[in-house]
Amino acid sequence: MYYVWTILKRDLRSMTSRAGGGGTKSSMLLLQWVVYLALGVAIGYGSSRLFSYVNTAFAALPGLIDGVTVNILGGSALFAIFMVLMSGLQIIYRTIYESDDIGFLLVQPVPVPAVFISKLIVSYVALLSIGAAFGIPPWIGWGLANGAGPLFYVCSVVGFLLVLLLAHGLVTLLLLAAMSRIQGRKMKQLFIVCSALVGVVFVIFTQMFSSRMSQAQDPSAMLHQISASQLAKSWFLPSTWMVNTVLSTYPRFGINGIPYALALAATSFGVAAIAYWVSGRCYLTGWASRNEEGGPRKSQAAGRVRARRGLLSGLKGTYWSVLRKDLTLLLRDPIIWYSLVVSVITLGFFIFSTVRSVSARSETAGQAMGTTVVMMASLMGSVSSAQTGGISLSREGHSFWLLRSNPTDAKALMWAKLTYALLPQLIVITLGLLAGDLFGGVKFPLWLGFLLGFSTAATLASIQILLDVTYPDFGMKVEFGSSKNARGTGKLLSSMFLSMGVAAAWMFLWQLPDMLAEEGVLWGRPVQVWLTATKALTVAVGVVMLRIVNTVGVKRITRLLNDA
Amino acid sequence: MIRADRLCKKYGSLTAVDDLSLEVSAGEVFGFLGPNGAGKTTTIKMLTGLLVPTSGRATICGIDVQENPVKAKSVLGYVPDTPDVYERLTARELLRFVADLRRMDEPKAERRMAELFDLFELTDRQDELLSGYSHGMRQKVSIAAALLDDPKVLFLDEPTVGLDPKSAKLVKDVLRSLADRGGTVFVSTHILEIAERMCDRVGIIQKGRLLAVGTVDELRQKIVPGEGGESASLEDLFLKLTGGEEYRELIMHLGEDSGPSEQER
């Protein structure tokens, strides 16, 4: 215990000095806390309002109120477990295997389990800080709406801590077992694949849920559907154990909470104990192999690499060689094409559910839907492009010397980077437009959709490239979609927010004529004229931005190649 | 082949390279020596078109590096002091990338890649990602990338750091062979033994100023004239020029202080 406490004290000191030290790291940390706090307050307030409404509006239907209560609270606990499974895997892995100080600690006269336990506690606290923002506020909201006593709040918090401990322990066990067999880099690739699968399942689930809810004619029907859900009746789910334990403090639910409380506590502590026991056998092996590759890429793997090269082979010069290299690296960084896949799926669901609803309506509605499809496709594309366009040059990292010391043509390099930035957006926009056309309902020429989509993407990619060549950060070390330093993380985040901001600005511009028409401020011209003008403006700005990139951007990149 | 004419690089009030002029001919291996922070890397960067000098001019094979950097880079090869390479590419893909940047013919690129992988004993691992390579292996890949297009002039910044003795010997032989075939090699190094054995001429730089240029024999005559000068090693000459001799005395004092006292003996 002495060693664990000593290590934790040091971690705590380093965290507090980071938070109070000023600079980007400190601001990012504080911003993160503020966001979590605001989120928690919003969820708690929203839940309180919802439960108060249910209590008042359906006072005559106590069965319905109870059904809604257990299902919503059970759902929130399940969501917290889901969050741990989704983001916790990486957090736990990074903390117990990749913390900078583990190597130092392991060569000190400190027992290995003490190092492991201290890192495990740090990862648990990190997960708690994220999970608590989603998992605890609904309970507080329910408590406030029902005038709950202190016992309810204590049970809720303890129950949540145990549920989180259980999920955390399970993920740790999985990691320990996997790391003793799989090398670090393969492990990270596995995370991406797992996260992708869970993410896709989540998107599909939420879209199905929202589609089901949209069929409900009024709030009462909606609540009946929630109440009828089987979520709270699944006895094997830890979320059910938590709900039944906490609600057993209310006699009106008629639940015997003791078996559930025992099951929750025994399973949580049991899994944590097993993880501790397994760590004694597997932890060092896993830690030692964290940076290793999965062995020589021979035979089949090597063949795959060569076959992929055939795609653009034979095309020489700066443009093609840089584009080919960037696409090869893109294919080996699953997080980028994963976000692309999620964007396409989300967009597909959106188009399917919204276009269907206007299919039988007028020409005007169809045209408006066409604009909406282009807008949504641009927005989704912009999110994906933040990982490519926003850091297309910075991604070169310290390997930039290879481009600098070879006869690299600055203009060709610029256009290769621009193509790379445009690609994800164009893929999403093209698929979105084709889906809109396929499902029907869009009364909008496809060529116009492509022209607008391409112009929006060109504007966005040009801004991203210009910013990146003006403020490159070759030390940001992007790996698996995130940066290892605060500056790099800030650059990635700002790139994403900027992309979404520009897409949102275009959305606003395209909606402006309709908004002005509603206000009656069109300066004597029909709304169609203004709609055409905004579309023409979109195309013009796209062309102008490409011109600017071709001059200003090329100048900047020439300088980076020859003088830095 | 390489010509620097009054090169100067200033960063604010700091002068990194001060009025440096030198010429290196075809078929020559030139060693560029100097203590840490002397201005070796800055000079190499200006000569290779990676850095614009504050004043002065650099030409490679008669091509002005500042006026026509792309053309100059097409005749030179460069190996940096740290072998940072795209970790998610294989060694083969990296060399292919360089070959395409340089618009090399397909058959020539394939032949050169095979030769270089064979030479550096990387044939079996050419299809592995570079993230799995050791520092020394990455260094070999960097050197292979620089040699790929048979450059007329090759610049190397501390090329033997991180290499095992066998690989270091291999690199020395490769550089000698390139010079024997009429190429020019400009190599900066801290390892004076390498410079003494491998280089036809050496230049010693300190605080941005080129203190001496010539063969080791010429430097001996210039720096330690008279009797005893013939036996002076390059290390002696280097320390004499760069003021390192004072440290020898200090180290001797430290040795005396930390050694056992008379009573203990």
Side-chain angles (χ1 to χ4, degrees), chain B residues 44-62:
Chain B
I44 289 183
K45 283 187 171 172
M46 288 193 286
L47 292 172
T48 50
L50 301 181
L51 196 63
V52 175
T54 309
S55 62
R57 188 164 171 259
T59 55
I60 302 292
C61 301

Side-chain angles (χ1 to χ4, degrees), chain A residues 185 189 293 297 305-306 316-317 321 324 329 332 396 398-399 401-402 404-407 561-564, chain B residues 49-52 69-70 73 78 80 84-86 88 93-94 97 100-102 104 127-129 131-132:
Chain A
R185 193 164 277 280
Q189 287 174 345
E293 286 291 335
R297 292 170 69 96
V305 170
R306 285 200 194 101
K316 296 180 191 308
S321 51
R324 179 163 51 237
L329 294 174
R332 289 182 189 154
E396 294 290 329
H398 295 303
S399 309
W401 70 268
L402 269 161
R404 299 185 68 217
S405 63
N406 278 295
L561 283 172
N562 301 317
D563 186 24
Chain B
L50 301 181
L51 196 63
V52 175
V70 174
K73 285 170 188 177
Y78 167 69
D84 292 310
V85 284
Y86 301 104
R88 306 303 294 158
E93 286 167 341
L94 185 93
F97 172 57
D100 289 343
L101 277 177
R102 291 179 163 266
M104 287 173 72
D127 289 320
E128 281 181 43
L129 294 181
S131 54

Side-chain angles (χ1 to χ4, degrees), chain A residues 258-448:
Chain A
I258 294 172
Y260 295 106
L262 285 176
L264 185 59
T267 319
S268 302
F269 287 115
V271 169
I274 294 171
Y276 174 72
W277 180 74
V278 172
S279 76
R281 289 153 190 271
C282 302
Y283 180 54
L284 267 185
T285 316
W287 181 79
S289 71
R290 74 202 181 284
N291 289 328
E292 282 177 19
E293 286 291 335
R297 292 170 69 96
K298 286 178 185 165
S299 61
Q300 198 188 348
R304 271 209 307 274
V305 170
R306 285 200 194 101
R308 200 178 291 150
R309 208 190 70 71
L311 194 69
L312 295 171
S313 67
L315 301 164
K316 296 180 191 308
T318 302
Y319 179 82
W320 290 109
S321 51
V322 171
L323 186 62
R324 179 163 51 237
K325 184 261 298 171
D326 282 346
L327 290 179
T328 307
L329 294 174
L330 177 86
L331 287 169
R332 289 182 189 154
D333 195 344
I335 196 85
I336 298 175
W337 49 262
Y338 154 61
S339 68
L340 205 66
V341 169
V342 171
S343 297
V344 169
I345 290 173
T346 313
L347 187 65
F349 271 106
F350 167 80
I351 291 170
F352 181 68
S353 54
T354 47
V355 167
R356 222 176 25 164
S357 64
V358 294
S359 57
R361 290 187 198 161
S362 65
E363 185 83 10
T364 321
Q367 281 195 6
M369 189 46 63
T371 313
T372 312
V373 167
V374 176
M375 285 190 315
M376 284 310 293
S378 304
L379 191 68
M380 292 295 178
S382 72
V383 176
S384 310
S385 75
Q387 287 272 346
T388 53
I391 51 166
S392 56
L393 192 71
S394 297
R395 253 183 186 277
E396 294 290 329
H398 295 303
S399 309
F400 190 47
W401 70 268
L402 269 161
L403 286 172
R404 299 185 68 217
S405 63
N406 278 295
T408 306
D409 180 63
K411 189 175 265 190
L413 175 61
M414 182 89 243
W415 282 93
K417 293 295 178 189
L418 193 71
T419 310
Y420 178 68
L422 273 170
L423 268 177
Q425 298 185 70
L426 292 183
I427 290 171
V428 175
I429 288 168
T430 306
L431 290 175
L433 288 170
L434 290 177
D437 200 53
L438 191 74
F439 295 143
V442 176
K443 308 277 189 300
F444 201 69
L446 208 53
W447 67 266
L448 183 58

